[in-house]
């Protein structure tokens, strides 16, 4: 790897770990996220979530100050938990540590045990702790660690194998979650999707404020995940360590399928074939038609796309699946970048070696590095979150917003990426970006193409 010529990160291409954990807790029915650490971190996470999802977000905090930082935060945690149990009446509390509490060595597992054994009245509400220091990972690390903690804490029951599919979708949009549910229902599968923030973070209009919004994965269903017939977990980056899916598989002897995010025809095919295998019959006609329409669109739009160059940045699994998708439509992903550290390994699981040779990979990167490389590679398009806006603006190159976060447009939470339908939407947007550039830069202009 190239030696870095600077000592500090400048606008990191990642977010903080407790952010990811909080998102998981927002996707469990009746759950309240709680940050064991400084108040400012909870405020930052709330602000960041609200500007993407455009929904109210409550996150409790043990609000460690100077004395707790020196003498430990046990008392703050206990007082905070009692307080939110009274105020919110949650069905579960998800507690994530942060940089501060981890640096001073807080033992969240031990504190939870003590809290629950000290007073039986408080032991009825499940508490799920997750260690989430940002210096050990990214928001994706915090997300996946939280899913793993949830299943390890709540899934106890072995028993007769049910016709239940457990699906762990990773960090995808609310619309992606809704689409996954639609597909699973069309297949007639009895499933548990964990987490599911499709309603809690993209709900309907309320007349009165609700402290904990409706929706989320029911806790009773999570408890039954040990009796699943199969586990599907999306995200090839998860293969690097024990994940919720691999733990479930090992602990309860359940067939496990680790798949990439289904973006593009190749990866959507892989996803639908897995569902066919689990269910035991072919995909419904509706999806065959979606696939056929997508293939037809690929042919129609090929002349506008072939040979174009894209810079793709963001979370490892998102970047890998987007790179796989653009490669199959003739666009070269000249630069793939992420704040995560094993991007090359994740890309290699999806991308043909001949295409890999054409890709520059920037793992553990920040937006200054991405911009510097992009200046040299001269892409035709940037693909990623709204955090790439300034480099795209400076280079006068269009930005196709996708993934997370989208702070400068409406509807990031309703953006569909997955399956044939999500790919169709991405494909149409990408082709139209190139058509628009051509149209806008034409000396005469034209309305027919
Ligand atoms: S201090 Fe750590 S946990 Fe808090 S906002 Fe910053 S990165 Fe996140």
């Amino acid at each position: 790897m190239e030696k870095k010529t600077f000592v500090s990160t400048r606008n990191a291409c990642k977010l903080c770990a407790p952010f990811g954990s909080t998102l998981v807790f927002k996707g469990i029915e009746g759950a309240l996220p709680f940050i064991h650490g400084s108040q400012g971190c909870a405020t930052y996470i709330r602000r960041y979530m609200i500007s993407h999802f455009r929904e109210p977000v409550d996150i409790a905090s043990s609000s460690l100050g100077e004395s707790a930082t020196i003498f430990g935060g046990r008392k703050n945690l206990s007082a905070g938990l009692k307080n939110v149990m009274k105020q919110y009446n949650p069905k579960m509390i998800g507690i994530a540590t942060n940089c501060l509490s981890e640096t001073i060595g807080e033992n969240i597992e031990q504190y939870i045990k003590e809290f629950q054994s000290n007073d039986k009245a408080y032991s009825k509400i499940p508490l799920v702790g997750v260690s989430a220091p940002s210096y050990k990972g990214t928001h994706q690390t915090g997300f996946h660690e939280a899913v793993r903690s949830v299943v390890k804490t709540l899934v106890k029951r072995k028993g007769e194998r049910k016709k239940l599919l457990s699906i762990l979708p990773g960090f995808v949009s609310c619309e992606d979650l809704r689409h996954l549910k639609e597909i699973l229902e069309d297949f007639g599968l009895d499933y548990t999707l964990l987490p599911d923030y499709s309603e809690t973070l993209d709900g309907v209009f309320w007349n009165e404020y609700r402290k904990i919004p409706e929706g989320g994965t029911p806790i009773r269903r999570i408890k039954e995940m040990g009796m699943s017939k199969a586990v599907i977990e999306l995200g090839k980056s998860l293969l690097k360590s024990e994940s919720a899916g691999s733990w479930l598989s090992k602990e309860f002897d359940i067939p496990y399928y680790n798949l990439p995010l289904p973006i593009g025809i190749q990866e959507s095919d892989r996803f639908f074939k897995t569902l066919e295998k689990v269910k035991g019959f072919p995909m419904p006609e509706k999806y065959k038609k979606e696939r056929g329409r997508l293939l037809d669109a690929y042919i129609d739009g090929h002349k506008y796309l072939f040979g174009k160059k894209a810079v793709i940045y963001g979370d490892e699994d998102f970047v890998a699946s987007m790179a796989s998708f653009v490669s199959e439509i003739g666009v070269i992903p000249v630069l793939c970048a992420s704040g995560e550290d094993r991007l090359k390994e994740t890309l290699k699981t999806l991308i043909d070696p001949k295409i890999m040779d054409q890709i520059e990979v920037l793992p553990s990167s920040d937006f200054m590095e991405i911009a510097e490389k992009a200046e040299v590679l001269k892409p035709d398009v940037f693909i990623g979150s709204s955090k790439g806006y300034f480099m795209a603006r400076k280079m006068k190159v269009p930005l196709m917003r996708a993934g997370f976060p989208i702070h400068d447009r409406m509807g990031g939470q309703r953006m569909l990426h997955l399956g044939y339908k999500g790919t169709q939407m991405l494909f149409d947007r990408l082709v139209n970006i190139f058509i628009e550039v051509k149209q806008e830069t034409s000396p005469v202009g034209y309305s027919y193409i």
Side-chain angles (χ1 to χ4, degrees):
M1 201 191 302
E2 233 175 78
K3 194 169 181 302
K4 301 204 172 182
T5 54
F6 57 91
V7 289
S8 59
T9 299
R10 303 151 301 171
N11 195 8
C13 185
K14 61 181 177 182
L15 304 170
C16 84
F19 176 96
S21 305
T22 301
L23 191 64
V24 172
F25 300 140
K26 287 294 296 175
I28 296 171
E29 191 179 63
L32 182 74
F34 189 113
I35 304 282
H36 179 47
S38 31
Q39 175 76 48
C41 301
T43 306
Y44 154 72
I45 293 169
R46 286 183 58 238
R47 192 219 152 273
Y48 224 81
M49 272 195 186
I50 291 166
S51 58
H52 176 87
F53 293 102
R54 319 258 172 188
E55 292 286 8
V57 176
D58 282 15
I59 301 172
S61 162
S62 53
S63 197
L64 300 189
E66 286 88 345
S67 60
T69 304
I70 295 164
F71 300 112
R74 188 189 263 107
K75 276 191 190 158
N76 286 51
L77 180 71
S78 164
L81 289 174
K82 286 179 187 170
N83 195 9
V84 294
M85 282 178 182
K86 277 190 208 128
Q87 301 271 346
Y88 285 82
N89 194 21
K91 289 184 184 160
M92 186 199 107
I93 301 177
I95 309 160
T97 55
N98 75 343
C99 299
L100 171 64
S101 53
E102 287 288 334
T103 303
I104 62 173
E106 297 284 90
N107 185 338
I108 195 68
E109 295 299 327
Q110 181 62 28
Y111 286 2
I112 288 175
K113 267 189 207 146
E114 283 173 13
F115 179 80
Q116 290 185 315
S117 58
N118 284 348
D119 193 331
K120 292 289 167 223
Y122 297 115
S123 64
K124 289 188 189 123
I125 299 173
L127 302 178
V128 176
V130 57
S131 164
S134 288
Y135 46 80
K136 264 178 68 187
T138 70
H139 57 296
Q140 287 289 344
T141 319
F143 184 98
H144 294 301
E145 286 289 313
V147 180
R148 195 165 65 114
S149 292
V150 169
V151 298
K152 282 182 124 170
T153 309
L154 298 180
V155 184
K156 303 269 186 242
R157 235 183 298 159
K158 292 195 184 192
E160 202 190 324
R161 184 80 68 231
K162 288 193 169 184
K163 283 186 187 154
L164 176 78
L165 168 70
S166 289
I167 176 150
L168 307 163
F171 190 164
V172 295
S173 77
C174 294
E175 194 62 32
D176 288 327
L177 292 174
R178 283 190 285 267
H179 188 49
L180 285 174
K181 289 195 281 186
E182 182 191 357
I183 294 170
L184 298 169
E185 274 152 30
D186 287 341
F187 264 88
L189 282 156
D190 178 20
Y191 65 89
T192 297
L193 178 76
L194 176 71
D196 178 8
Y197 40 83
S198 62
E199 297 298 320
T200 55
L201 287 172
D202 191 24
V204 298
F205 171 77
W206 301 331
N207 285 319
E208 274 177 35
Y209 183 69
R210 294 171 197 172
K211 286 183 179 168
I212 299 183
E214 281 170 5
T217 315
I219 292 171
R220 142 188 90 73
R221 297 285 295 193
I222 300 172
K223 287 181 177 169
E224 288 179 356
M225 285 169 88
M227 296 190 275
S228 304
K229 200 179 158 197
V231 179
I232 295 180
E233 188 165 49
L234 302 182
K236 281 285 175 191
S237 67
L238 290 166
L239 289 177
K240 62 188 171 194
S241 55
E242 182 191 70
S243 64
S246 60
W247 180 81
L248 276 170
S249 169
K250 209 167 130 205
E251 194 71 15
F252 300 99
D253 193 22
I254 306 171
Y256 171 59
Y257 303 92
N258 174 267
L259 307 174
L261 291 175
I263 303 176
I265 287 185
Q266 175 184 282
E267 297 314 328
S268 297
D269 281 352
R270 206 190 297 264
F271 178 69
F272 277 92
K273 279 200 172 78
T274 307
L275 293 184
E276 287 176 342
K277 193 170 168 190
V278 171
K279 183 66 187 175
F281 61 69
M283 69 170 139
E285 195 58 28
K286 172 178 162 185
Y287 298 101
K288 284 185 193 156
K289 285 196 171 164
E290 281 181 8
R291 187 185 190 282
R293 267 194 291 273
L294 179 59
L295 205 54
D296 190 46
Y298 275 17
I299 297 161
D300 295 341
H302 190 249
K303 61 184 173 184
Y304 305 110
L305 296 169
F306 184 73
K308 292 278 192 274
K309 296 188 287 183
V311 167
I312 307 172
Y313 57 88
D315 304 337
E316 246 173 52
D317 287 306
F318 165 81
V319 171
S321 285
M322 281 302 270
S324 162
F325 157 56
V326 302
S327 306
E328 68 185 23
I329 56 175
V331 174
I332 309 156
V334 284
L335 176 63
C336 288
S338 174
E340 295 175 80
D341 56 0
R342 288 172 48 99
L343 180 60
K344 197 162 198 167
E345 287 81 347
T346 306
L347 277 164
K348 278 183 179 169
T349 60
L350 277 79
I351 309 281
D352 187 280
K354 281 193 207 122
I355 294 172
M356 268 311 286
D357 289 346
Q358 302 177 56
I359 303 176
E360 285 220 34
V361 183
L362 270 184
S364 309
S365 57
D366 64 27
F367 278 95
M368 291 298 281
E369 284 178 279
I370 300 171
E372 281 162 16
K373 269 279 183 250
E375 290 279 357
V376 179
L377 294 166
K378 305 208 178 320
D380 300 292
V381 67
F382 285 97
I383 301 175
S385 71
S386 58
K387 287 188 82 180
Y389 168 70
F390 285 107
M391 66 179 172
R393 178 186 157 98
K394 189 171 169 225
M395 287 180 63
K396 295 189 173 50
V397 169
L399 165 63
M400 185 171 103
R401 288 166 180 79
F404 181 90
I406 309 292
H407 288 163
D408 63 348
R409 289 287 184 279
M410 285 294 288
Q413 73 278 48
R414 287 181 290 278
M415 202 176 272
L416 183 62
H417 309 79
L418 305 186
Y420 303 122
K421 197 170 163 190
T423 306
Q424 181 74 72
M425 289 183 180
L426 292 171
F427 179 83
D428 291 345
R429 285 174 61 207
L430 191 57
V431 177
N432 285 334
I433 280 174
F434 293 128
I435 291 177
E436 193 175 331
V437 168
K438 213 171 163 190
Q439 205 171 22
E440 293 300 309
T441 52
S442 156
V444 289
Y446 49 85
S447 62
Y448 184 89
I449 193 157

